[in-house]
Amino acid sequence: MERFIKWSCFLASGCVVLLFVFALYIGTLLPDTFLVASGNGIAIAGMPFVHASAAMSTDAVANMEEGSSYNAELTIAGIVPVKTVRAQVVERRVVQVCGTPFGIKMFANGAMVVGFSDIYTTLGYKNPAKTAGLQMGDVIMSVAGQETKTNEDVAAALQDQGGAPAEVIFVRDGVEQSVLLTAVKDASTGTWRTGMWVRDSSAGIGTLTFVDNATGVFAGLGHSIHDVDTGTTITLLKGEIVPVEITGAVAGSAGSPGELQGRFLTSVPAGDITANSETGVYGTVRSFWKGFEAEVAMAQEVVIGNAEIVTTIEGQEPQRYTAVIEKIALSADNPNRNMVVRVTDPRLLNATGGIVQGMSGSPILQNGRLVGAVTHVLVNDPTRGYAIFAENMVQSADAAALQAAA
């Protein structure tokens, strides 16, 4: 009997240790701050065993106004502590869900270096830009004191120097730097060149996620617009969106992402891009975009399970397709990779193989609410892709609205 009691105590102690280790692990999966709709407390749908208790009464929490906040203790089953978090009380938002294709025309705040090629001179091949230390992704802001917003500005400033050394101001990784750059004369054309290729604009298609009719702000893509050659996020000078018609699709396969093909229907802007951020592109609408109203889910309300993707793979009319949310990361390091979603609808799988380029921004619905948007395809499995929480995009849209009003 004594041995039995010792073993029982040992096992009980081990279980307690494991429970506390589990609680520590759960704490790493949860964020330090939760957004909660007014009248509600923190309830993590995917972790029903995690309980939240505030220092104040339940009635006090229910009566807290938007914009207020409070601390809450998270525990496992109300017993084992997990962590202390902050609850921010916000309005339960309703937006116009779209899933509509749109065209993007964007101009960078400077000319980005996207490539190099050696120049043939009377003294042989040279590349002054490389020699000076410029790299792909650098954004040229000025040459010899002349502001360079466009490719033409860079070329004109270099020609004006006539082969004399010029100070080049550029931005790399958000830090402004400078180099001395001396152009050489191209033996075949007689022009002054530096051996770098620059680009000042970008165009493409994506999917509009939602429009907030209360502010007139749109949200799309779920990730930033970046240069196709360098992968660098384009620093926005100005941009526009226009209606698009999807004319076809190249199906994706393992190792080969597919893409939607489309055409711009007009050159008349339907909206202006004011922000190009990690969580998507945002701006103000000029004309009406079709859609339907839906509440926005808080991140902790999203669960693993059935969902729908709203997207357009032909024409201009979005359709709903079945999908499954397979993974949720409430405390993800990357703000646009909060979920993994898998396409299950045979219609979409037959037409595109799953998620393809151009579907970025496609809304994801669950239990009638907007929970997120598609952002990236998994290259080795096009039936799956990453998605962003709608909560993150709404916060960015609100920031864009404030910027537009300033």
Side-chain angles (χ1 to χ4, degrees):
M1 177 61 72
E2 183 178 349
R3 177 178 294 181
F4 175 77
I5 293 174
K6 287 183 177 180
W7 272 106
S8 297
C9 292
F10 176 76
L11 289 174
S13 300
C15 289
V16 170
V17 170
L18 287 175
L19 191 56
F20 273 91
V21 170
F22 178 66
L24 289 173
Y25 169 69
I26 291 298
T28 66
L29 302 180
L30 298 175
D32 295 326
T33 302
F34 287 84
L35 300 185
V36 296
S38 54
N40 295 336
I42 298 174
I44 305 170
M47 297 181 181
F49 53 85
V50 175
H51 296 179
S53 59
M56 60 191 70
S57 68
T58 303
D59 288 341
V61 169
N63 292 323
M64 293 196 75
E65 297 181 351
E66 296 162 14
S68 56
S69 62
Y70 60 91
N71 286 339
E73 296 293 332
L74 300 184
T75 61
I76 294 178
I79 302 172
V80 182
V82 175
K83 67 190 301 186
T84 301
V85 296
R86 193 73 176 164
Q88 294 183 347
V89 182
V90 297
E91 174 191 4
R92 169 72 73 182
R93 301 294 286 276
V94 175
V95 297
Q96 179 178 294
V97 179
C98 297
T100 316
F102 72 118
I104 300 162
K105 296 189 290 185
M106 203 170 88
F107 292 90
N109 188 25
M112 181 182 292
V113 179
V114 296
F116 297 94
S117 62
D118 293 343
I119 310 301
Y120 181 67
T121 72
T122 55
L123 298 177
Y125 285 98
K126 294 189 176 183
N127 194 305
K130 273 189 175 180
T131 301
L134 289 170
Q135 299 176 10
M136 288 180 63
D138 291 344
V139 179
I140 309 300
M141 305 303 294
S142 68
V143 175
Q146 298 184 45
E147 189 177 37
T148 53
K149 295 288 187 184
T150 67
N151 306 343
E152 291 76 13
D153 290 343
V154 175
L158 290 170
Q159 295 306 310
D160 289 346
Q161 288 300 108
E167 182 185 30
V168 174
I169 306 296
F170 66 96
V171 175
R172 179 185 297 165
D173 297 328
V175 179
E176 189 173 283
Q177 303 181 48
S178 67
V179 295
L180 276 180
L181 179 61
T182 304
V184 294
K185 183 169 285 189
D186 190 321
S188 59
T189 64
T191 57
W192 296 99
R193 298 177 61 191
T194 62
M196 65 179 176
W197 295 95
V198 296
R199 180 161 51 232
D200 59 15
S201 61
S202 179
I205 64 171
T207 302
L208 199 65
T209 308
F210 65 81
V211 174
D212 186 342
N213 289 325
T215 61
V217 169
F218 69 82
L221 291 189
H223 60 72
S224 65
I225 300 172
H226 52 266
D227 182 79
V228 66
D229 292 309
T230 65
T232 304
T233 296
I234 297 174
T235 304
L236 176 68
L237 174 62
K238 61 180 180 178
E240 300 170 343
I241 63 171
V242 297
V244 160
E245 178 184 44
I246 301 300
T247 58
V250 176
S253 59
S256 179
E259 65 175 351
L260 295 179
Q261 299 171 329
R263 65 185 183 93
F264 289 16
L265 293 177
T266 177
S267 60
V268 179
D272 300 291
I273 301 173
T274 59
N276 178 33
S277 73
E278 281 186 297
T279 62
V281 293
Y282 304 88
T284 54
V285 293
R286 296 192 192 181
S287 58
F288 175 76
W289 290 81
K290 289 183 180 180
F292 57 91
E293 289 192 342
E295 290 185 341
V296 176
M298 306 300 176
Q300 66 271 15
E301 295 173 335
V302 186
V303 296
I304 291 173
N306 293 334
E308 290 180 306
I309 294 175
V310 184
T311 195
T312 306
I313 61 173
E314 184 178 0
Q316 295 178 270
E317 295 296 326
Q319 301 291 328
R320 297 191 185 199
Y321 299 96
T322 59
V324 173
I325 297 173
E326 294 189 325
K327 183 179 179 181
I328 298 169
L330 288 174
S331 188
D333 293 332
N334 194 315
N336 54 38
R337 298 191 179 190
N338 307 123
M339 298 176 277
V340 173
V341 61
R342 175 170 57 89
V343 175
T344 58
D345 199 302
R347 297 171 300 160
L348 190 55
L349 292 172
N350 289 336
T352 65
I355 296 169
V356 296
Q357 296 175 39
M359 283 175 60
S360 293
S362 297
I364 301 172
L365 302 174
Q366 188 177 66
N367 299 322
R369 286 177 172 164
L370 176 66
V371 299
V374 174
T375 59
H376 301 84
V377 62
L378 297 182
V379 176
N380 292 324
D381 182 3
T383 67
R384 290 178 167 85
Y386 289 109
I388 184 175
F389 287 138
E391 173 185 290
N392 292 349
M393 295 186 75
V394 167
Q395 288 183 295
S396 295
D398 286 346
L402 290 175
Q403 180 181 339

